[in-house]
Amino acid sequence: MSGVAIVDYGINNVRSVRNAVEYCGFDPVVTHDAGAIADASHVILPGVGAFGDAMTNIRARGIDELLERYVREKGKPFLAVCLGMQLLAKTSEEHANDGVLHSGLGWFDADVLRLMPNDPALKIPHMGWNMVAKERSHPILANIREGNLAFYFVHSFAMHCKAPKDVVGYAQHGQQVTAIIARDNIAATQFHPEKSQDSGIDLMSNFLRWNP
């Protein structure tokens, strides 16, 4: 096992995630190579940019098939970040052309919708620090006190899960924002743990030591 594979699909923020993984004491590899992902003990899917562009790159490089094989079938511990989390949904309305939604990986029964806060004073994108309220416990939150669940968000769209049991935590931004989801060996955060200082490093470290 080579340790940690950070999936590179060409437009994601691999540098900050790599720095966070290294800070946690691991030696990651940034890759879209099947062999490297096969050898890794843990897989991270970062994300930044637009949903449609990301899925186009993922499919063009065959990364969707690699993740299906090594994460869904073989059960490698997996963490998706920000747009990476949204890509696990069935559809997204981000930049949908003539109402035709983008298709995601479809791992969760969820859709990605534009944020619509009920307070007009709240800005979009939702950018900055926000508290996360736990719906349930999860190993990636182990030993993080509830008062320390503050993380850094940057997004204009958010996942709406149809299965409440998939949701680990919510934030509030004039509406309920799905902040953490998890099922089996898969976890994902709407926020950026790699930019969330101590709380983010604690979450990342928990993930890297997680053996579901």
Side-chain angles (χ1 to χ4, degrees):
M1 293 286 182
S2 65
V4 183
I6 300 173
V7 179
D8 180 11
Y9 52 89
I11 57 174
N12 46 356
N13 55 332
V14 296
R15 178 176 297 179
S16 57
V17 173
R18 181 176 61 190
N19 290 343
V21 172
E22 290 175 345
Y23 187 86
C24 292
F26 292 79
D27 185 19
V29 57
V30 178
T31 185
H32 60 270
D33 177 74
I37 294 174
D39 286 344
S41 62
H42 290 66
V43 179
I44 299 175
L45 180 67
V48 67
F51 190 104
D53 293 340
M55 283 306 307
T56 296
N57 279 26
I58 283 173
R59 292 190 177 106
R61 298 182 180 206
I63 293 171
D64 51 342
E65 297 175 1
L66 294 178
L67 295 179
E68 180 72 24
R69 184 185 315 154
Y70 294 110
V71 176
R72 296 252 283 175
E73 296 177 9
K74 297 187 180 298
K76 288 183 184 289
F78 175 83
L79 177 68
V81 173
C82 196
L83 177 65
M85 168 174 154
Q86 296 179 12
L87 298 176
L88 307 184
K90 289 184 173 178
T91 69
S92 173
E93 66 176 11
E94 183 178 8
H95 301 313
N97 295 320
D98 297 325
V100 178
L101 303 178
H102 295 287
S103 296
L105 295 172
W107 292 5
F108 285 79
D109 188 9
D111 301 305
V112 177
L113 307 177
R114 176 177 290 280
L115 290 174
M116 299 286 286
N118 55 24
D119 181 351
L122 293 174
K123 295 182 178 179
I124 302 297
H126 170 209
M127 181 182 300
W129 292 87
N130 204 339
M131 294 298 297
V132 171
K134 284 198 297 187
E135 286 292 298
R136 60 182 173 90
S137 298
H138 191 275
I140 66 170
L141 299 179
N143 302 318
I144 305 178
R145 296 170 54 189
E146 297 216 8
N148 292 339
L149 292 174
F151 298 98
Y152 188 80
F153 290 76
V154 183
H155 63 123
S156 298
F157 294 79
M159 179 183 281
H160 289 242
C161 283
K162 297 175 183 176
K165 65 181 181 181
D166 290 336
V167 179
V168 174
Y170 290 104
Q172 295 292 332
H173 187 67
Q175 67 177 90
Q176 196 173 57
V177 176
T178 306
I180 306 173
I181 59 172
R183 189 177 62 232
D184 303 327
N185 59 308
I186 299 166
T189 67
Q190 178 58 68
F191 52 82
H192 289 273
E194 77 279 12
K195 298 179 180 179
S196 297
Q197 300 183 4
D198 290 347
S199 55
I201 291 297
D202 287 345
L203 185 151
M204 188 74 79
S205 181
N206 286 336
F207 166 71
L208 295 169
R209 292 167 174 81
W210 182 33
N211 291 299

